[in-house]
Structure formats: structure tokens, C-alpha cells
Amino acid sequence: QEYRDKSTRQEIETRRLQDSQTDPEESSPSEETPSEAEPTSTTENKAPPQISLLRNSNSRFNLWQDLPEIRSSGVLSILQPDEIKLQEAMFELVTSEASYYKSLNLLVSHFMENERLKKILHQSEAHILFSNVLDVMAVSERFLLDLEQRVEENIVISDVCDIVYQHTVNHFSVYITYVSNQTYQERAYKQLLQDKPAFRELISQLELDPKCKGLSFSSFLILPFQRITRLKLLVQNILKKVEEKSDRETTALDAHKELETVVKACNEGVRKMSRTEQMISIQKKLEFKIKSVPIISHSRWLLKQGELQQMNGPKTSRTLRTKKLFREIYLFLFNDLLVICRQIPGDKYQVFDSAPRGLLRVEELEDQGQSLANVFILRLLENADDREASYMLKASSQSEMKRWMISLAPNRRTKFVSFTSRLVDCPQIQCVHPYVAQQPDELSLELADVLNILDKTDDGWIFGERLHDQERGWFPSSMGEEILNPKIRAQNLKECFRVHKSDDSQRRKLGSRNRQ
């Protein structure tokens, strides 16, 4: 964590420095392409000493170039700046795996194998709580041993992504099993804290041990999910720094593709159970005034829900002043369906209209004064009665209006970019404060994330697309700093397209096949 925080802060500060350099000439030296053959041949001749810090549990992980072995070897005066950056990226992957394995080991030895805890927990409770963590730890150990062996072959690391690829393909399926159990795990943990005082007291005592460094038991349980996601980002970072059209680029692309498959499977496993439970809960609350629509489906999930004000129809100015122009309605928006309701007593909702999400259109009203502020038109091209219907809806704020409009019609043009075309340059922002999503249409952010700004509101919200995974969502504008230098924005986009170019070529092949 310490190593990761240091490198993340460096990444943020580097972008800040580059962004402040408005003269293109000032930021060009670091982008020079070094000779690819020179560093390899020279370092081979010099034959630097081996490095064995990873097996030394007392070693404090630093940046690669700060290690005494590196400084004394003289290799820093030989390597080009871009190669040093690549070494740092590969070294971060290795050292962070060592730190992760150490934490996993603590989860097992300090918590899971605690004799008092074994007596408190029933075997089935322990199984739900710890799942297949022993398998995950064994996989991490094998992975780390191969990474250590590679680092110790030469002080200048040749590659690590080939090792990542092999282990992802052959062993990382254990992560899918562990992460898919997360919903059960969280529920079991909350239940145990509530029902078993002895469990609660023991966990509190174990958390106070200096070994835990102030971290909670639940933060150890979530480590595997965090690691598999982080590993993909670390490979992306390497991919941005390897030479184009090189063997190392090929292995990085292969590793990234396989990791992305595992991460998607993990995410899908987590969502599947929680989504099904949520759909069952919603189904119980709905009463249909129209023909009933089956809500529960394995391919359906909730995108957004909430209250809006519906305009009743033409009213006099006197009615406007008495604020009777609108009445409350409640929307449930799923990935493929919109259900329009009115709330009725008993925490129930009476459905009076619905439409497939693909047949929704939205239109923002021009400024019509305070009474019609934050009002938009929702058109159902084909509603529950198989006819076109329109609703004039009022949101509580400008951001809420825009969030509904983008959720209802995701392919409409936003303020800064058209979704049907790739814009060469659009506003960008880098995250300087982490953010945890509070609503389904929001996006969780980590430090140093870079996003395209697709839309923004006057009341402090941004709709963005994260470059490294194309995930979209809303977040407070106070979480980031806008990147003003167009050269840095272009470089960020170039790196993004490079990471995903293998995916893009596959999509183009599939697209041409479908057209045929």
C-alpha cells in the first residue's frame, strides 16, 4: 500500500507538472523514443549483480531506482529515461504482489487459523466467511515465486507480463470463485457480528494486534477482489511504457486481455446475486394498473430509480403560482425497460405505463422561467398500450435532470462529445480524491484515474468516461482536477487506444462479419 501510494502520488504530480507546461517544446524531451537495442546490449555486457530483496521480509519496498543495488550498479546512467519508467512499472507489479501475499498470509494465520475463532464458528459459517482463500493464497505464492525468479535473473527486468499471462490463463480462476462469494460473505459477516457477541469481541481483539496495522478484518477479506482489479491496472501501466510493436507489447496486450476476462467474470459473479435479490424485492412492491410485465429476468438489472414531478397539463398562471402544476410519479429504469408508477400506501407502487428502454427519447426544455426549470420531455415511442406517449417531467436539480436524461437515453449527444463518433480532443479530468459511488449511475474513482468529461452541471457534477476501462458514470467535480494542456490530453487518449487496440480490432472483425 505504501509503495502504491507513493507511485500514485508521483503520477498525479507528474501530470500536474506536465499540464502546467503550455509550451509543447517543454514537455517533449520525456517523450523521445530511445534506441531499443542500446540499453539491452550495454546492460548485458555490464552484467549487473542479482537482486534478492523480495525474499528478505525486512526489506522496505522502494522505487526500483532508489534501491541500493540499482544505484551501486551504475545502470541508471546507461538506461534511457523511458526504459527506467518501464522498469519502475514492472517492479511495482512484483513488489505489490509480495505485499499482497504477505497480507493474505496474515488473513489466514491471524484470523482464519485462530483456535478461538474456530471454536466460535460453525464449519459452514467459516466456509462462507473465508471461501477458497487458501487456494487464492497458493496461487499468489506460485505467481510471486515466478516473478521473484525473473527479477533475480538480472537487475534489469526483461519482462513480467508473460508470467502474468501464464498464471492468469492457468490459475486465476480461483479469484472468480472467491469474488463471486462476496455478497454471501458480507451478509454472513454482518449476521455473525449481530448474533454472536463472542465473535464480535474476538474480531475486535484480533484487529487491535500491531500486525494488522490498524486495518479491519473486512479490509483483509476484500483483498483478492482489490488485487485482481489492481493487477489489470498495473499491466495497463506497463503497456503504456513498452516499445510499440515489440515482443513486450505483445505479451502485455495478451496479459491485459486475459486479466480483463477474469475481472469481468468476477464483477458479473458479484452482481448476479445482488441483482436477482433486488429484482425480487422490486417485483413485490409493484401493482399493475395496466397489463402486467414480468420484472424478474436473469438479463435485467436496475439502472436508476427515483421520484420526478409530472406536469398534469395546461394550467393557468394562477395554478402555476400555487404550485399545483406537477404531481409526483416514480420511475424504475432497468437496462432494457422503463416502468412508470405512482406511490401508494404500504411502500407499494402502482404501475400505469411502461416501455422498452430502446424506445425512449428525451428532450431538454429551453429556459422557461423558474416554474419550468429542470424540466425535460420523455417520449415513449411505444408504451404499454402500443402507442406513443409523452411526459413532461421536472427534476429537483439540474444534475438530477441530466442524470435522468442520460440514463433514459444513453446514446444521445452530450455537452462535450457525441456518442456516435470519437472526438479527437474533449475535456479531461484526473482524480485527486477517491470517490465511492452512492447510486447505480455514479462511478467510483481511485487516485490518478483519468476520465473524459462527457457532460457537467452547474451544481457540481460531472458525467465522465474512465479511459482505462471505458466505464461511465457521474461523480462530484470536487474529486478531480481538469487537465488543461491539449498535448497531455492527446497523450492520455493515445495510451488508452493503445491498451485497447487488440479489443478494437476484434470488434471490427466481428462487426464486418455481422454485416456480411
Side-chain angles (χ1 to χ4, degrees), residues 84-101:
I84 293 174
K85 290 178 185 176
L86 175 58
Q87 291 295 313
E88 293 287 11
M90 292 191 289
F91 187 69
E92 180 181 8
L93 188 146
V94 180
T95 54
S96 60
E97 186 66 29
S99 177
Y100 163 66
Y101 174 73

Side-chain angles (χ1 to χ4, degrees), residues 102-119:
K102 185 178 178 183
S103 299
L104 274 184
N105 201 21
L106 186 62
L107 171 62
V108 171
S109 61
H110 187 59
F111 291 98
M112 181 179 173
E113 294 179 348
N114 180 277
E115 291 301 325
R116 285 175 61 196
L117 192 61
K118 284 181 181 179
K119 291 176 182 176

Side-chain angles (χ1 to χ4, degrees), residues 95-160:
T95 54
S96 60
E97 186 66 29
S99 177
Y100 163 66
Y101 174 73
K102 185 178 178 183
S103 299
L104 274 184
N105 201 21
L106 186 62
L107 171 62
V108 171
S109 61
H110 187 59
F111 291 98
M112 181 179 173
E113 294 179 348
N114 180 277
E115 291 301 325
R116 285 175 61 196
L117 192 61
K118 284 181 181 179
K119 291 176 182 176
I120 293 171
L121 294 179
H122 188 272
Q123 191 173 354
S124 61
E125 292 171 332
H127 177 68
I128 294 172
L129 203 56
F130 294 102
S131 189
N132 64 328
V133 70
L134 291 176
D135 295 336
V136 173
M137 191 169 76
V139 163
S140 175
E141 184 177 19
R142 276 200 303 267
F143 183 42
L144 181 58
L145 286 171
D146 284 352
L147 290 172
E148 284 183 333
Q149 185 178 348
R150 177 63 56 82
V151 170
E152 291 172 0
E153 285 174 2
N154 195 311
I155 203 167
V156 177
I157 307 166
S158 58
D159 195 4
V160 293

Side-chain angles (χ1 to χ4, degrees), residues 399-443:
S399 59
E400 188 63 14
M401 178 191 71
K402 288 201 171 189
R403 287 169 70 161
W404 269 111
M405 291 177 71
I406 285 176
S407 295
L408 289 162
N411 294 323
R412 67 185 290 273
R413 185 183 180 93
T414 62
K415 184 173 182 179
F416 296 109
V417 65
S418 166
F419 286 86
T420 57
S421 63
R422 273 185 171 171
L423 206 62
V424 175
D425 185 28
C426 76
Q428 286 180 4
I429 191 169
Q430 82 161 333
C431 172
V432 294
H433 303 291
Y435 180 69
V436 178
Q438 307 297 312
Q439 300 290 335
D441 65 340
E442 293 180 11
L443 186 64

